Amino acid sequence: MVRLSRVLLKDAGSVIDKTLSDILVCPLSKQPLRVCEKTKSLVSDTIDVSFPIKDGIPCLVPKDGKILEEEGDASKA
């Protein structure tokens, strides 16, 4: 069981499940989040905040959010 868990967690950080990403919302604005594959994070375009995905688990605690820079942020591309 432990070996299976390690194998599953090894690739977990690369992609978040489509169903999960469809139901998650920003904890601050309550608006939908967008998955950014480049930064492996969930982005709230409404308030320009990015939340990390660690080992396949979205970290949606408001203090974990990172304010995105204006215009120069690569994750908005």
Side-chain angles (χ1 to χ4, degrees):
M1 183 69 166
V2 174
R3 289 182 188 166
L4 177 61
S5 297
R6 287 183 184 168
V7 170
L8 292 174
L9 287 175
K10 179 181 170 188
D11 296 325
S14 61
V15 176
I16 191 166
D17 184 56
K18 176 77 170 132
T19 306
L20 182 59
S21 68
D22 287 344
I23 62 172
L24 290 177
V25 295
C26 174
L28 302 170
S29 70
K30 308 300 186 238
Q31 297 300 313
L33 294 167
R34 169 178 59 85
V35 177
C36 179
E37 295 291 331
K38 184 174 184 179
T39 61
K40 293 189 179 20
S41 64
L42 293 170
V43 178
S44 174
D45 291 322
T46 307
I47 58 173
D48 290 330
V49 173
S50 173
F51 296 95
I53 300 172
K54 297 178 183 174
D55 296 324
I57 302 169
C59 299
L60 297 177
V61 177
K63 70 178 183 120
D64 289 339
K66 177 183 169 190
I67 297 173
L68 301 175
E69 297 176 10
E70 299 285 329
E71 300 297 318
D73 188 13
S75 68
K76 294 193 113 188

